[in-house]
Amino acid sequence: MAKKNLNEMSFLDHLEELRWLLVRSTVAILILAAVTFFISDYIFDVIIFGPTDPNFITYRALCNLSQNLGFADTICVTEMAFIIQNTNMEGQVNVLIWTCITAGFILGFPFVLWEIWKFISPALYETEKKHAKLFVITSSLLFFTGVLFGYFVIVPMSMNFFATFTISDVVINQFSVDSYIGMVKTSVIACGLFFELPIIIYFLTKLGLVTPEFLRTYWKYAVVVILIVAAIVTPPDVVSQIIVTIPMLLIYEASILISKIVVKNQKKVNG
């Protein structure tokens, strides 16, 4: 049966399209999750538990930066004073399953984006439909950049902070494996999605829900939120907070610029 045009599709037709989008995306993620199962040893030992090693690349880079700026060894990491343990009978099995699913989602994100594009493309102009590859590539690059930022910046800094924070010498840090991995997964996925902000702003501006003036008006509030987040996830030193804050501010500024371009193009089209 031929695919209906946008004007011919009812509300139920749209729901059916959305349902199949979710089905295809879920199947793709599960297939990739099954693939990652065969390299789960590498994923856990090298990637996930990598930031628990004081010789992790981020810690060495921060230490070198600290020394070059004349702060001596103030932000050098020499040890991780905590242990990771499993306290549930089925804990490690659950962690393995959900970690593979998370890895499948991250690897399958470009495919999910392609499915989303096919779902929204009927509402776009013909000239905009030609930008499908650009949309998928740009969005994927932003997502993977955010994931890397979360893994190499947010995770190590958060881990260093929580590992060294203590309310009393009586308390020993012994983190559960699901708590630790939950922190890693939340950090990388949240950063990946945050880096999608310019794409989100692009579509919100086209729908008339956001304007450059709105984003600029609330810029100071965005700065405050970003600074609060940076203060929470980083150790109490200026260098670490700046490293986290600057990329997030650049993403917000890029979103404002994109919104301006969209509004400018819409004015040209409308005469």
Side-chain angles (χ1 to χ4, degrees):
M1 184 175 64
K3 189 174 182 180
K4 296 181 181 179
N5 295 326
L6 179 63
N7 294 332
E8 299 175 350
M9 295 178 66
S10 65
F11 177 73
L12 291 179
D13 289 329
H14 285 294
L15 285 182
E16 182 67 10
E17 286 291 324
L18 179 61
R19 184 175 74 87
W20 279 108
L21 179 157
L22 295 175
V23 169
R24 289 190 295 267
S25 298
T26 301
V27 170
I29 290 171
L30 291 178
I31 291 175
L32 289 171
V35 172
T36 60
F37 173 79
F38 296 100
I39 57 171
S40 57
D41 289 344
Y42 179 84
I43 291 175
F44 282 103
D45 295 337
V46 177
I47 299 178
I48 293 181
F49 294 120
T52 63
D53 185 355
N55 292 317
F56 188 63
I57 184 173
T58 301
Y59 302 136
R60 289 189 279 111
L62 286 174
C63 187
N64 293 333
L65 179 62
S66 175
Q67 293 171 346
N68 292 333
L69 293 177
F71 294 111
D73 298 333
T74 53
I75 57 175
C76 290
V77 177
T78 57
E79 65 174 343
M80 286 292 179
F82 66 90
I83 63 172
I84 300 174
Q85 59 182 346
N86 175 52
T87 58
N88 298 321
M89 182 72 72
E90 72 285 1
Q92 296 196 54
V93 175
N94 290 335
V95 165
L96 173 62
I97 293 173
W98 284 107
T99 299
C100 288
I101 291 176
T102 302
F105 171 76
I106 293 174
L107 295 175
F109 193 75
F111 178 80
V112 175
L113 286 174
W114 176 252
E115 288 294 326
I116 293 175
W117 177 266
K118 289 196 299 182
F119 179 72
I120 65 176
S121 60
L124 302 176
Y125 295 111
E126 289 298 325
T127 54
E128 295 171 330
K129 293 179 182 179
K130 299 177 182 178
H131 299 153
K133 291 182 179 179
L134 179 62
F135 166 77
V136 174
I137 293 174
T138 303
S139 300
S140 298
L141 287 176
L142 286 172
F143 178 76
F144 290 131
T145 301
V147 167
L148 293 175
F149 179 76
Y151 177 72
F152 286 106
V153 179
I154 301 297
V155 169
M157 291 184 176
S158 299
M159 192 176 305
N160 183 34
F161 172 75
F162 291 118
T164 56
F165 181 84
T166 178
I167 57 175
S168 171
D169 293 336
V170 176
V171 182
I172 301 175
N173 285 327
Q174 298 181 347
F175 305 135
S176 65
V177 64
D178 54 341
S179 174
Y180 170 82
I181 294 181
M183 185 271 292
V184 174
K185 291 190 295 185
T186 300
S187 298
V188 297
I189 292 180
C191 286
L193 295 178
F194 177 78
F195 272 57
E196 291 293 304
L197 184 62
I199 303 297
I200 296 172
I201 293 299
Y202 170 82
F203 286 105
L204 291 179
T205 303
K206 288 192 68 66
L207 292 173
L209 300 177
V210 170
T211 64
E213 293 74 19
F214 173 84
L215 295 173
R216 182 59 66 188
T217 300
Y218 286 91
W219 183 86
K220 57 184 177 182
Y221 299 106
V223 171
V224 171
V225 172
I226 290 173
L227 289 174
I228 292 174
V229 172
I232 292 174
V233 303
T234 61
D237 63 85
V238 177
V239 176
S240 300
Q241 293 176 7
I242 291 176
I243 291 174
V244 173
T245 301
I246 290 178
M248 298 176 77
L249 287 177
L250 290 177
I251 289 293
Y252 190 82
E253 286 294 331
S255 301
I256 297 177
L257 177 61
I258 289 174
S259 183
K260 288 181 179 179
I261 294 174
V262 172
V263 171
K264 183 178 180 181
N265 291 338
Q266 286 178 333
K267 289 181 178 178
K268 288 183 179 179
V269 172
N270 297 330

